Amino acid sequence: MLFQELEKRNFVMNRRLGSSLAMIAGAINVAGFMEFGYYCANMTGNASALALNLQKGALQEGLRALELGGSFVLGAVIMHHFGQYRSQAALARKVRL
């Protein structure tokens, strides 16, 4: 995805890249909160874009912002799931000792 530039890129490639980066941001946000108790990323820009585009009637642009928000949430859910698994495995090791 990152090796294509300018006219070699298309909408699908850009959407995949944006969704992938949003998932990574969600995962990093959960990891930061679980480790330090603070959220280290936010999606306020995409939430604002969603609201403004829907209010203007620009449904397609609003859905793009919603897709990024959904990818962010999906990344957060995945990271939270694996974080819980890691915590449970660590607890199980301590109990066995």
Side-chain angles (χ1 to χ4, degrees):
M1 281 186 282
L2 296 174
F3 297 110
Q4 304 293 326
E5 295 181 14
L6 302 174
E7 61 275 345
K8 294 180 183 178
R9 296 181 65 84
N10 60 37
F11 173 76
V12 173
M13 294 170 74
N14 288 337
R15 188 174 70 188
R16 286 180 184 159
L17 177 60
S19 295
S20 298
L21 292 173
M23 282 180 57
I24 292 167
I28 290 170
N29 198 43
V30 168
F33 183 78
M34 290 173 71
E35 189 65 32
F36 306 109
Y38 294 100
Y39 293 105
C40 55
N42 63 58
M43 293 296 290
T44 56
N46 287 323
S48 298
L50 171 64
L52 290 171
N53 284 314
L54 291 179
Q55 188 272 331
K56 289 190 303 187
L59 185 61
Q60 188 171 7
E61 287 82 7
L63 291 177
R64 287 182 193 149
L66 182 62
E67 178 185 15
L68 289 174
S71 295
F72 179 86
V73 170
L74 179 61
V77 168
I78 291 169
M79 186 63 183
H80 179 68
H81 171 74
F82 286 114
Q84 279 187 328
Y85 175 75
R86 188 187 73 183
S87 297
Q88 290 170 356
L91 180 61
R93 283 192 301 272
K94 288 180 184 178
V95 170
R96 279 187 264 163
L97 296 176

